[in-house]
Amino acid sequence: MPGPGTLSAPPAGAQAVHRALGLLHCFHDNGPDLSASELARRTGLSVSTAHRLARTLVATGFLDQDEHTARYRLGPAVAELGQLTFHQRGLHLAGPELDLLARRTGATADLAIRSGPHAVILVGGSVLPSTGLGLRRPLHSTALGKVLLAWPSPTETPLRGPLPAYTPHTLTDPAALDAELARTRDRGYALNDGESAPGIRTLAVPVLDRTPTARFALAVRSTPAHLTPEALPRTLTHAHTCAAALAVLLLPPDQR
């Protein structure tokens, strides 16, 4: 029996769930179908364990297996749950507001949530019509991510690990990032000026709940030539107007 202060191993069932979710996360990049050996390599599991978990996920509809190649892809249960959460969060109502913001600012407008160390765009101009998928970007190098970090929920863990550089302007020092997040909270918006990709300027604001927590982050993205310092106040006004509308539209179902 473990002594005081000793961490016991997680229950076998919890470990299996964690591993199965890890297999599903292997498909985040929307790449080609994956074999059991590729799933094992990506998750650090043995091939036999990856195969056994994948077969369980096939049986429950979370993965499909090609009968000719034996390779795996996401299954219908994932698509069904994705559609359900999309509508339960009210995200189908956000599109018209983002379109209006894009027309008013002449820039790309996006709405994102936090997923671990990433900001995931769910609705907006960066969502590809061919796949319905938006960009998945690191938190520390994007305006969307800075907003989600500046107004976190009590259950979200702080950003850990090294902060990779994507351009010479990326904030890689945790202390510098903390200072930037403090500035973001003070002024009510985040700015990304070439930190994620050269020649891109993005302004982002929070869509707050009553806590206040940024349930979503709203961004307007263009070039420095378009989002000039003179244009930023007007753009910020439009972004705050859109965020206020979304704060109501995206309320949980029991609060609408």
Side-chain angles (χ1 to χ4, degrees):
M1 182 174 180
T6 302
L7 292 177
S8 59
Q15 184 183 63
V17 170
H18 182 78
R19 288 175 169 178
L21 291 173
L23 255 65
L24 294 177
H25 280 291
C26 289
F27 297 90
H28 264 139
D29 59 4
N30 194 34
D33 297 356
L34 299 174
S35 66
S37 60
E38 289 167 335
L39 289 171
R41 185 172 63 254
R42 293 189 180 198
T43 56
L45 300 172
S46 68
V47 174
S48 61
T49 299
H51 178 73
R52 183 173 67 253
L53 289 171
R55 292 299 303 157
T56 300
L57 291 170
V58 168
T60 53
F62 286 91
L63 288 181
D64 270 342
Q65 186 176 33
D66 189 289
E67 61 181 20
H68 300 295
T69 66
R71 299 172 75 86
Y72 298 96
R73 65 177 70 95
L74 291 175
V78 175
E80 182 180 9
L81 289 176
Q83 287 294 323
L84 283 172
T85 190
F86 191 85
H87 283 270
Q88 285 174 352
R89 289 175 177 265
L91 291 167
H92 59 296
L93 305 172
E97 296 295 331
L98 294 174
D99 290 342
L100 178 60
L101 177 61
R103 290 196 302 272
R104 285 175 169 172
T105 61
T108 300
D110 290 315
L111 189 72
I113 60 170
R114 180 176 177 178
S115 178
H118 295 94
V120 180
I121 295 173
L122 300 177
V123 192
S126 296
V127 174
L128 299 176
S130 58
T131 64
L133 297 174
L135 296 174
R136 183 179 178 85
R137 303 299 297 152
L139 292 172
H140 73 284
S141 66
T142 57
L144 286 167
K146 290 175 188 176
V147 162
L148 295 168
L149 289 170
W151 287 275
S153 78
T155 59
E156 286 171 343
T157 57
L159 197 59
R160 295 191 179 94
L163 303 177
Y166 299 98
T167 76
H169 302 291
T170 306
L171 294 177
T172 58
D173 177 25
L177 178 61
D178 287 343
E180 177 66 13
L181 297 181
R183 284 192 293 271
T184 296
R185 286 187 291 270
D186 287 343
R187 65 192 181 190
Y189 69 92
L191 194 63
N192 171 12
D193 210 351
E195 298 168 47
S196 184
I200 299 297
R201 180 172 289 164
T202 307
L203 180 149
V205 298
V207 178
L208 296 170
D209 61 17
R210 299 169 185 172
T211 313
T213 291
R215 290 185 292 122
F216 302 91
L218 170 67
V220 178
R221 177 171 53 85
S222 189
T223 64
H226 182 75
L227 288 180
T228 63
E230 295 75 20
L232 284 178
R234 175 176 173 273
T235 302
L236 182 61
T237 297
H238 289 311
H240 278 310
T241 299
C242 183
L246 292 175
V248 177
L249 288 172
L250 302 178
L251 282 172
D254 60 342
Q255 298 179 28
R256 291 178 198 157

